């Protein structure tokens, strides 16, 4: 399904999309190896859906979330680190002590979740039992039920970015997990040259990056009007149905609600690229939507990307071979430098060079055919990272001298 020319968004919406594109590029440049994560987070906010950053401590989850949410001018921002004893009133509004002395039980909502447009909730799955129901209503319905029993309070929340070091284990927090449409894994830096750049930045700070922002009113207009107006062609609907059938054959079942919400994410992806119609390339964002456990993610990714792009199957097969080489490198830890060098020269370098050549050929072919190269670029980056590890750990090359063009 190819479209030679697609209508562009209205001028005002187009300007918002351009600013969000600039924000995406700037933050991607600021956080190494996070470009795909940043773009998907921006699309999640545009779709009015909540997201989860999942990864070990020290992977810049909080910094990334704050950098993104801080780019929205005029938005009231609220942030909290949850614990199993967090009082719901600390989240949604403490008791008004002055009013209490006069016999009135009311809450102070200013500066709390009930008054924010953008939220960042760290350690989301440590939500206390007492705060669980109110947190669910806040995320799902944008409502808070005051403790004095008054009418529900409508919250202006557009989207929440959440973070956790681990997935939920109990049924209670599983309900919150279900409310987080977008799920993104973040890990430690894989490319030694990027790690070297990180170390250098601690000694010689980088120049302050450009800081494009977007106005709250423009963002809300995009979320409420422009994104829902993006066309979803019948061909995309058919592709979604094919994907659902393929995942069901693999015994991966997503709820009807999750599929329906995912459509808005596809529209947001198209809007972010300045298009007024969803295309096959937008389906790639579904790799962050349709898995529950991290063990399911590779299967979902393969099914989605093979549907999106005819190049994906070969690219993902090459990625499997690259991952196997990295596993071999890890298994050889502790061997002598001579043994590592022999393996690197006779096997790893040869296979990685061959994979790199084929991936570059595929990238050129895809560009000539007008197909998306997103999957190829990701696998190319993965090959470079593994090749750099081989050069540094097996051959003793200085990490800061590893050529990025590997």
């Amino acid at each position: 399904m190819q479209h030679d020319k697609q209508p562009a968004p209205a001028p005002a919406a187009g300007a918002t999309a351009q600013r969000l594109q600039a924000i995406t590029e700037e933050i991607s440049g600021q956080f190494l190896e996070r470009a795909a994560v940043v773009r998907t987070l921006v699309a999640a906010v545009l779709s009015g859906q909540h997201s989860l950053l999942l990864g070990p401590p020290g992977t810049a989850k909080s910094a990334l979330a704050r950098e993104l949410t801080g780019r929205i001018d005029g938005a009231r921002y609220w942030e909290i680190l949850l614990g199993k004893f967090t009082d719901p009133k600390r989240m949604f509004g403490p008791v008004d002590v002055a009013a209490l002395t006069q016999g009135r039980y009311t809450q102070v909502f200013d500066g709390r979740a009930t008054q924010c447009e953008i939220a960042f909730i760290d350690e989301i799955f440590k939500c206390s039992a007492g705060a669980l129901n109110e947190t669910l209503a806040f995320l799902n319905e944008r409502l808070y039920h005051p403790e004095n029993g008054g009418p529900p309070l409508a919250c202006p929340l557009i989207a929440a970015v959440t973070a956790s070091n681990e997935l939920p284990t109990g049924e209670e927090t599983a309900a919150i997990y279900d409310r987080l449409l977008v799920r993104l894994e973040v890990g430690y830096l894989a490319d030694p040259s990027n790690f070297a750049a990180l170390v250098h930045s601690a000694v010689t700070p980088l120049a302050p990056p450009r800081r494009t922002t977007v106005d709250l009113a423009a963002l809300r207009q995009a979320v409420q009007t422009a994104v829902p107006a993006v066309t979803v062609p019948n061909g995309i609907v058919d592709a979604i149905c094919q994907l659902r059938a393929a995942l069901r054959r693999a015994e991966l079942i997503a709820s009807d609600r999750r599929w329906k919400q995912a459509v808005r994410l596809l529209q947001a992806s198209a809007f972010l690229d300045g298009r007024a119609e969803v295309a096959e390339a937008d389906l790639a964002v579904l790799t962050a939507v349709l898995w529950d456990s991290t063990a399911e993610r590779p299967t979902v990714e393969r099914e989605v990307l093979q549907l999106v792009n005819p190049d994906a199957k070969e690219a993902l097969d090459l990625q499997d071979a690259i991952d196997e080489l990295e596993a071999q490198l890890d298994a050889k830890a502790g061997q002598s430098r001579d043994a590592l060098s022999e393996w690197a020269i006779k096997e790893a370098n040869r296979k990685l060079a061959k994979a790199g050549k084929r991936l570059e050929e595929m990238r050129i072919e895809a560009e000539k055919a007008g197909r998306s190269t997103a999957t190829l670029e990701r696998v190319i980056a993965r090959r470079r990272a593994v090749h750099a590890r081989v050069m540094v750990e097996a051959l003793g090359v200085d990490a800061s001298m590893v050529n990025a063009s590997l």
Side-chain angles (χ1 to χ4, degrees), residues 310-388:
D311 304 309
K313 184 180 187 306
E314 184 178 356
L316 293 174
D317 287 343
L318 287 170
Q319 178 175 296
D320 289 343
I322 292 165
D323 291 344
E324 175 59 27
L325 284 172
E326 184 174 47
Q328 291 178 26
L329 176 62
D330 291 336
K332 293 179 182 296
Q335 291 189 7
S336 69
R337 175 53 58 84
D338 288 343
L340 281 171
S341 296
E342 182 178 4
W343 170 78
I345 293 170
K346 291 185 176 180
E347 182 177 352
N349 278 351
R350 177 177 57 81
K351 290 181 177 179
L352 288 165
K354 184 178 179 180
K357 181 180 179 180
R358 178 55 188 151
L359 286 165
E360 184 61 24
E361 291 172 349
M362 293 169 65
R363 186 185 65 79
I364 293 171
E365 292 168 2
E367 287 180 343
K368 288 180 179 177
R371 298 193 299 268
S372 170
T373 61
T375 302
L376 290 167
E377 296 290 355
R378 183 174 60 78
V379 179
I380 288 170
R382 175 76 176 132
R383 187 207 68 86
R384 286 175 177 167
V386 173
H387 205 167

Side-chain angles (χ1 to χ4, degrees), residues 18-271:
Q18 289 174 2
R19 298 192 75 82
L20 289 168
Q21 286 173 0
I23 289 170
T24 301
E25 292 170 2
E26 291 167 12
I27 299 178
S28 297
Q30 187 175 346
F31 291 86
L32 298 170
E33 299 182 13
R34 298 287 185 265
V37 170
V38 173
R39 188 188 186 281
T40 307
L41 280 178
V42 173
V45 172
L46 264 174
S47 67
Q49 298 292 340
H50 312 309
S51 52
L52 168 68
L53 293 173
L54 175 67
T59 49
K61 299 187 298 295
S62 301
L64 177 55
R66 293 186 189 113
E67 184 62 35
L68 171 59
T69 54
R71 300 292 189 109
I72 305 171
D73 284 337
R76 289 170 293 183
Y77 172 72
W78 173 75
E79 174 181 328
I80 193 169
L81 172 63
L82 293 184
K84 60 181 179 179
F85 299 115
T86 301
D87 189 329
K89 291 190 288 296
R90 181 167 169 250
M91 301 174 65
F92 300 105
V95 174
D96 187 334
V97 177
L100 191 62
T101 61
Q102 300 174 14
R104 292 183 290 110
Y105 187 92
T106 60
Q107 292 173 262
V108 179
F109 297 122
D110 289 346
R112 304 293 171 165
T114 40
Q115 298 293 308
C116 76
E117 283 89 13
I118 300 294
F120 172 54
I121 308 175
D122 203 359
E123 294 299 344
I124 180 67
F125 302 125
K126 293 182 180 177
C127 181
S128 66
L132 180 63
N133 288 337
E134 297 302 343
T135 301
L136 286 171
F138 172 65
L139 292 175
N140 197 44
E141 302 166 349
R142 273 67 168 183
L143 291 177
Y144 172 65
H145 299 274
E147 298 219 350
N148 65 3
L153 180 68
C155 303
L157 180 69
I158 295 174
V161 179
T162 70
S164 177
N165 298 333
E166 57 190 5
L167 288 176
T169 55
E171 291 184 7
E172 299 84 0
T173 48
I176 290 180
Y177 184 48
D178 185 58
R179 295 328 191 259
L180 308 178
L181 180 70
V182 171
R183 299 155 178 180
L184 296 160
E185 286 188 280
V186 291
Y188 297 121
L189 295 178
D191 190 326
S193 61
N194 285 334
F195 179 74
L198 177 71
V199 173
H200 282 302
S201 71
V203 180
T204 307
L206 300 175
R210 289 186 58 191
R211 191 173 177 80
T212 301
T213 59
V214 63
D215 184 73
L216 172 63
L219 176 64
R220 191 176 286 282
Q221 191 277 335
V223 172
Q224 295 179 345
T225 305
V227 169
V230 172
T231 302
V232 182
N234 289 336
I236 293 296
V237 175
D238 291 342
I240 293 172
C241 292
Q242 292 175 37
L243 176 60
R244 179 174 180 265
L247 292 177
R248 288 175 74 88
R249 287 193 294 270
E251 299 184 350
L252 299 177
I253 310 297
S255 69
D256 292 345
R257 177 178 62 189
R258 181 162 288 269
W259 282 106
K260 184 176 180 179
Q261 290 174 336
V263 174
R264 188 55 50 83
L265 187 65
L266 297 176
Q267 292 172 300
S269 176
F271 177 87

